Amino acid sequence: MANYLHSLRRRRRERRAELPVRGTGDQRVAVIGLGRFGYSLANELMHRGWDVLGLDTDTRLVQKYSDALTHTAVADCTDGEALRQLGVHEFTSAVVAIGTDVEASILVSSNLLEAKVPNIWAKAVSRQHGQILERLGVHHVVLPEHEAGERVAHLVTGRMLDFIEFDDDYALVKTVAPDIVTGMPLGRSQVRSKYGVTVVGVKRPGEDFTYATAETVVQKGDVIVVTGKTHTVESFAELG
């Protein structure tokens, strides 16, 4: 273990020297759990210039991704001492990307909180799991399967081309412009006062998206991006 730790610290220093300078923030993150979600996240962070430490109990997965990620190690992160030896307590960000083992997810999250890692993200496999993580004090809880399912349901059942829901029942939707807003400036159509949504972008066939203003005239067949309360943007997208 001592030789490994020495090698890991040396490779971290060498890797950080190669990375582009991107502001003053710490660009190190530990991703714990290298399943499909964990590896996809770790790989994307790598492409964004982050120094990624990928950890998993599965030797096969660690070997599989050892060349793709900055650093990898086989480790049981339910053991707080293992995290300490790997230096995870020195990181400013960590992601618990463990899949179906809820007990392991909770134990690892507890260890990271005890180590006072400033930014902890954790994947939840159910709303109950997410509530437990939030009660522990995890800073950010994500439910990728549930969120993806809800998003696809909106796309399948309506005229929406894309749907993103945020906290506080607020959503952003891409949809084909309903006839009621075409052929006149947005300011005159009174979209906000009548329907409770704001048109923030317009895209004509063959053109790029542009910001919408009160003077923008939406034409039939245009794709628009609207924001507002979830139920209002859903109703607006169904106007046809």
Side-chain angles (χ1 to χ4, degrees):
M1 174 67 82
N3 288 337
Y4 166 76
L5 290 173
H6 175 74
S7 174
L8 176 64
R9 294 187 183 108
R10 176 177 56 78
R11 283 185 290 146
R12 279 183 189 163
R13 289 194 296 270
E14 292 172 350
R15 180 66 186 181
R16 282 201 294 272
E18 297 170 359
L19 291 173
V21 177
R22 297 164 60 97
T24 58
D26 190 329
Q27 297 289 107
R28 294 182 299 163
V29 59
V31 177
I32 302 166
L34 294 177
R36 283 186 297 177
F37 174 77
Y39 172 69
S40 176
L41 172 66
N43 191 48
E44 180 63 26
L45 289 169
M46 282 275 297
H47 288 149
R48 292 171 181 263
W50 281 65
D51 189 356
V52 178
L53 170 61
L55 302 171
D56 202 290
T57 56
D58 189 331
T59 303
R60 179 184 57 84
L61 284 176
V62 171
Q63 291 175 343
K64 180 179 179 181
Y65 299 130
S66 60
D67 291 334
L69 301 180
T70 321
H71 316 289
T72 56
V74 177
D76 178 5
C77 297
T78 62
D79 180 356
E81 178 60 20
L83 285 175
R84 191 194 66 78
Q85 290 186 10
L86 290 166
V88 175
H89 61 287
E90 299 174 354
F91 285 44
T92 56
S93 297
V95 180
V96 183
I98 295 172
T100 56
D101 191 339
V102 173
E103 182 179 356
S105 167
I106 292 169
L107 286 171
V108 173
S109 298
S110 297
N111 288 336
L112 292 170
L113 287 164
E114 187 174 342
K116 301 189 185 309
V117 176
N119 289 294
I120 302 170
W121 297 75
K123 172 188 175 182
V125 296
S126 68
R127 297 199 182 279
Q128 183 182 33
H129 181 198
Q131 289 171 352
I132 293 171
L133 293 171
E134 288 175 347
R135 288 170 186 163
L136 280 175
V138 171
H139 311 110
H140 312 279
V141 176
V142 294
L143 288 92
E145 286 86 359
H146 284 259
E147 291 163 3
E150 291 172 359
R151 175 175 174 270
V152 172
H154 277 90
L155 304 184
V156 168
T157 59
R159 299 178 68 252
M160 303 177 197
L161 303 175
D162 208 347
F163 174 89
I164 302 174
E165 188 170 21
F166 304 94
D167 291 337
D168 303 321
D169 191 32
Y170 191 82
L172 182 148
V173 166
K174 181 170 75 171
T175 185
V176 176
D179 290 341
I180 51 159
V181 298
T182 62
M184 70 182 79
L186 285 171
R188 202 170 73 191
S189 68
Q190 299 180 318
V191 175
R192 188 178 302 178
S193 59
K194 286 183 178 179
Y195 305 104
V197 302
T198 301
V199 180
V200 296
V202 179
K203 184 183 187 305
R204 300 226 157 85
E207 299 181 12
D208 294 332
F209 266 105
T210 59
Y211 290 110
T213 68
E215 290 73 39
T216 299
V217 177
V218 178
Q219 298 176 1
K220 188 175 182 63
D222 285 353
V223 172
I224 59 176
V225 175
V226 299
T227 62
K229 290 291 186 179
T230 302
H231 71 280
T232 60
V233 294
E234 288 173 338
S235 299
F236 179 79
E238 293 302 318
L239 290 174

